[in-house]
């Protein structure tokens, strides 16, 4: 496999559920990102990881919890979400020298 | 604060027409990067171009061309002889130079382009 892979592609969860989104990159990159794309808003950066260390938390509510166990994998743990958290969640990775970010296909999350 | 404005929400053209997507940005940084991404219905953002603030040369790649004008803070994207496969949402984005190299992209709201046969 090449590129950035996200699983699952679609997820429906209740407000009391706990679930996790997974992202894997096969590009040898050392920075990984979570972005949120809602229907009415521009793409918003949520978290940034550089060499497995979190370097950015863009005022994201604690019901979203990221984890980066190594430079190839990134998770987003979800718990007690609200219906307004329904969105497309996009993972991206980049090389800190070369720069441009490559995105996965996203996870379409619906909170019911 | 950084901001990217894509004033055109939706554009519809007929195949083979040329189309220009506008992008205007705001930043206080002297070093920054500008990007265009394409988002087809499948959802992933496809990288098209990255341009740094010191390089104002226009770029052409096949049917795609980009016009970077610092004086007007614009980074417009033109598709020549559009095709149905160009139908997608196109995003312009801005990133300040980061220590350590990772980039925090600030996106515009996107322009939905529909190319009709």
């Amino acid at each position: 496999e090449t590129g950035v892979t996200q699983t699952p592609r679609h997820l429906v969860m209740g407000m009391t559920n706990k679930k996790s989104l997974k992202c894997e990159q096969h590009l040898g990159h050392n920075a990984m990102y979570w972005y949120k794309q809602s229907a009415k808003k521009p793409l918003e950066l949520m978290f940034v990881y550089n060499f497995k260390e979190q370097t950015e938390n863009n005022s994201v509510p604690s019901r979203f919890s990221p984890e980066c166990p190594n430079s190839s994998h990134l998770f987003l743990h979800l718990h007690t979400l609200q219906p307004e958290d329904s969105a497309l969640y996009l993972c991206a990775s980049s090389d800190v020298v070369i720069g441009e970010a490559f995105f996965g296909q996203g996870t379409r999350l619906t909170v019911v | 604060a950084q901001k990217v404005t894509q004033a055109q929400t939706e554009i519809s053209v007929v195949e083979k027409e040329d189309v220009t997507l506008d992008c205007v940005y705001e930043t206080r940084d002297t070093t920054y990067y500008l990007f265009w991404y394409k988002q087809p219905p499948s959802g992933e953002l496809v990288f098209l171009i990255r341009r740094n603030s010191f390089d104002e040369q226009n770029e052409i790649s096949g049917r795609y061309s980009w016009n970077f004008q610092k004086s007007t803070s614009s980074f417009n994207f033109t598709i020549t002889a559009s095709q149905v496969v160009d139908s997608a949402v196109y995003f312009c984005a801005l990133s300040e130079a980061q220590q350590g190299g990772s980039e925090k992209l600030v996106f515009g709201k996107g322009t939905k382009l529909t190319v009709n046969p």
Side-chain angles (χ1 to χ4, degrees), chain B residues 69-97:
Chain B
Q69 301 235 341
K70 244 174 155 173
S71 58
T72 55
S73 297
S74 65
F75 187 45
N76 297 339
F77 171 33
T78 297
I79 302 175
T80 304
S82 59
Q83 299 176 2
V84 173
V85 294
D86 295 327
S87 297
V89 181
Y90 290 86
F91 291 94
C92 181
L94 168 70
S95 166
E96 62 188 19

Side-chain angles (χ1 to χ4, degrees), chain A residues 9 31 33 35 37 42-43 45 48 50 55-56 88 90 94 96 98-105, chain B residues 35 37 39 42-47 50 89 91 98-109:
Chain A
R9 293 291 310 280
Y33 314 77
Y35 283 85
Q37 187 176 27
L43 275 146
L45 178 67
V48 180
N50 254 346
T55 55
E56 182 82 16
L88 181 67
L90 288 158
S94 70
V96 296
I98 298 172
E100 57 260 29
F102 290 84
F103 284 78
Q105 290 185 300
Chain B
F35 302 77
Y37 283 87
Q39 187 177 39
S42 53
E44 82 277 21
L45 272 78
V46 177
F47 168 80
R50 176 181 190 253
V89 181
F91 291 94
Q98 296 287 315
Q99 278 192 340
S102 64
E103 293 181 331
K104 301 191 297 180
L105 293 168
V106 174
F107 284 86
K109 292 187 178 181

Side-chain angles (χ1 to χ4, degrees), chain A:
Chain A
E1 277 193 61
T2 57
V4 181
T5 305
Q6 290 186 242
T7 53
R9 293 291 310 280
H10 301 271
L11 178 62
V12 179
M13 60 186 287
M15 289 191 284
T16 57
N17 290 161
K18 286 186 182 180
K19 295 285 184 184
S20 296
L21 310 185
K22 180 183 176 183
C23 176
E24 185 172 1
Q25 59 96 1
H26 305 273
L27 300 167
H29 289 164
N30 30 43
M32 295 189 79
Y33 314 77
W34 280 115
Y35 283 85
K36 176 183 178 182
Q37 187 176 27
S38 308
K40 303 282 184 185
K41 290 185 180 181
L43 275 146
E44 301 170 90
L45 178 67
M46 299 175 72
F47 301 104
V48 180
Y49 278 82
N50 254 346
F51 296 96
K52 302 187 296 177
E53 298 296 320
Q54 188 181 123
T55 55
E56 182 82 16
N57 176 337
N58 200 20
S59 303
V60 180
S62 59
R63 57 186 184 270
F64 295 91
S65 173
E67 179 191 0
C68 189
N70 55 62
S71 56
S72 298
H73 293 86
L74 185 65
F75 295 89
L76 188 62
H77 304 300
L78 316 170
H79 64 98
T80 57
L81 295 192
Q82 306 296 313
E84 60 265 28
D85 296 322
S86 299
L88 181 67
Y89 288 86
L90 288 158
C91 173
S93 70
S94 70
D95 181 284
V96 296
V97 174
I98 298 172
E100 57 260 29
F102 290 84
F103 284 78
Q105 290 185 300
T107 295
R108 174 71 63 187
L109 173 68
T110 304
V111 182
V112 297

